[in-house]
Amino acid sequence: MAVSTRNATAAGARGRRRAGPGPLRRSFGTHWYAWAMVAPVLAVMLVLIGWPLARGVYLSLTDATEANIGRTIGVNVIPSTYEFVGLDNYLRILTSDLFWDKLLWTVIWTAACVALHYGVGLALAVMLNRKLRFRSVYRVLLILPWAVPAFVAAFVWRYLYNSDYGVVNGMLKLAGLGPVGWLDDPLTAKVAVIAVNVWIGVPFTMVALLGGLQSIPAELYEAAEVDGAGPWQRFRAITLPGLRQVSSTVILLGTIWTFNMFPIIFLVTRGGPGSETEILVTYAFREAFTGIRDYSGSAAWGVIILLMLVVLAVGYRRTLRSQGDPW
């Protein structure tokens, strides 16, 4: 019995030796140069992203504020006195009406902006994909809003919306209409920030979709036209399916960017009037950097935002894969 056991053990050892190294070890041995090139990037990402993220998650589980966090003033070292409180911050946020109000406006803001980004961008891409005079000039002019830094665009639009000296109210005056307090009323302020974000975001969508349109073979349109398909039929049967992969990427990226679009809200309306135009990310900033700075609360808001976007991205990807999209 002992002999058979030793034989089985020896056979198992020989089998493991024949099996060779694991997949990770084989990949490193085969692609060591690629791993060497990627290693500095991974190290930088761990320092710039991994550590702050881990620190934020930890702070979200404490009661850290400006009053109890450690600091050094001259030669005096004040130790930290904040404590671990578990999920109290998350429970406080998720059970507050404020969070759900901000979430509702953030969802409306994101959905409206992404829908307009895609709709207007697709229309412009289809137009620029045709043979037009001065097409290159149109392309440059339409891409300009994307080239302008977001904070510059925000300040320019804030001036345009000025109730007394703004260009928008000046045009309304020329048309015989009265001035509008664009940033003074909650409804008009929300419309104003959506318009600014659409102006900034449409060029990216347009360029991406224009590249997708140019990759669709022209023979498909010619064959459909020979078969008697009209413009709308060709658009629905060829253009939209041909843009499916590009559209899925553009919509996902646009959703993530818009959901976290801090500079437009903060610089155009300051979150006002009151806090009517504040989205989740701007409120998280306000928690951390205004009044008595609530670092733990702000960190909890940030973690919640991150988890929502991860769930959105994973769900969106699974939906696309269930529909046969390889993305």
Side-chain angles (χ1 to χ4, degrees):
M1 188 71 179
V3 174
S4 62
T5 303
R6 285 196 298 271
N7 291 337
T9 304
R14 287 195 299 270
R16 286 193 295 272
R17 284 196 297 269
R18 282 196 298 268
L24 183 60
R25 190 172 179 182
R26 288 198 305 271
S27 175
F28 183 77
T30 306
H31 308 290
W32 64 270
Y33 185 79
W35 282 102
M37 293 296 100
V38 170
V41 178
L42 292 176
V44 171
M45 290 183 64
L46 286 174
V47 173
L48 298 182
I49 299 177
W51 166 246
L53 179 60
R55 177 67 174 171
V57 172
Y58 169 72
L59 284 178
S60 71
L61 301 174
T62 67
D63 61 351
T65 65
E66 185 180 21
N68 59 22
I69 199 165
R71 66 181 70 87
T72 301
I73 303 176
V75 296
N76 300 315
V77 177
I78 302 175
S80 300
T81 57
Y82 60 85
E83 299 176 350
F84 183 83
V85 296
L87 300 177
D88 287 357
N89 291 316
Y90 295 96
L91 293 175
R92 175 173 54 84
I93 293 172
L94 295 175
T95 55
S96 67
D97 294 335
L98 177 66
F99 170 77
W100 297 106
D101 290 342
K102 299 304 177 190
L103 177 60
L104 176 61
W105 161 234
T106 303
V107 171
I108 294 173
W109 148 266
T110 303
C113 289
V114 173
L116 290 171
H117 285 166
Y118 187 81
V120 178
L122 179 59
L124 292 174
V126 171
M127 182 188 72
L128 293 178
N129 196 42
R130 299 177 178 179
K131 293 182 179 179
L132 298 172
R133 292 187 62 187
F134 309 113
R135 183 170 61 174
S136 300
V137 177
Y138 296 148
R139 287 181 178 180
V140 172
L141 292 176
L142 290 170
I143 290 174
L144 278 178
W146 191 25
V148 177
F151 72 92
V152 175
F155 284 128
V156 170
W157 277 94
R158 184 174 176 84
Y159 173 75
L160 294 177
Y161 285 135
N162 186 277
S163 300
D164 300 321
Y165 310 106
V167 175
V168 177
N169 278 344
M171 296 174 64
L172 292 176
K173 185 177 180 180
L174 291 176
L177 301 174
V180 176
W182 292 102
L183 306 181
D184 300 328
D185 180 75
L187 179 59
T188 56
K190 290 177 179 179
V191 172
V193 291
I194 289 175
V196 177
N197 194 55
V198 170
W199 183 80
I200 292 175
V202 161
F204 167 76
T205 306
M206 179 193 70
V207 171
L209 294 176
L210 181 59
L213 286 172
Q214 293 176 347
S215 67
I216 299 175
E219 293 80 4
L220 296 177
Y221 292 101
E222 295 171 359
E225 191 172 359
V226 170
D227 291 339
W232 172 246
Q233 291 173 317
R234 295 196 298 270
F235 178 78
R236 188 177 58 181
I238 299 174
T239 303
L240 289 181
L243 291 175
R244 185 171 181 177
Q245 292 188 21
V246 176
S247 298
S248 60
T249 303
V250 165
I251 291 173
L252 179 60
L253 291 177
T255 300
I256 294 173
W257 290 341
T258 305
F259 201 88
N260 287 324
M261 182 55 71
F262 174 83
I264 300 303
I265 299 292
F266 185 76
L267 297 177
V268 174
T269 65
R270 302 290 195 273
S275 62
E276 291 294 328
T277 58
E278 278 194 331
I279 57 177
L280 293 176
V281 67
T282 58
Y283 189 82
F285 172 86
R286 184 184 296 275
E287 284 281 279
F289 295 103
T290 60
I292 299 178
R293 301 178 178 183
D294 185 3
Y295 299 125
S296 59
S298 177
W301 280 79
V303 173
I304 291 172
I305 294 170
L306 174 62
L307 292 177
M308 286 192 294
L309 289 175
V310 169
V311 170
L312 172 66
V314 172
Y316 186 68
R317 183 181 179 186
R318 288 185 175 179
T319 301
L320 292 177
R321 295 186 68 178
S322 67
Q323 296 174 355
D325 197 320
W327 184 83

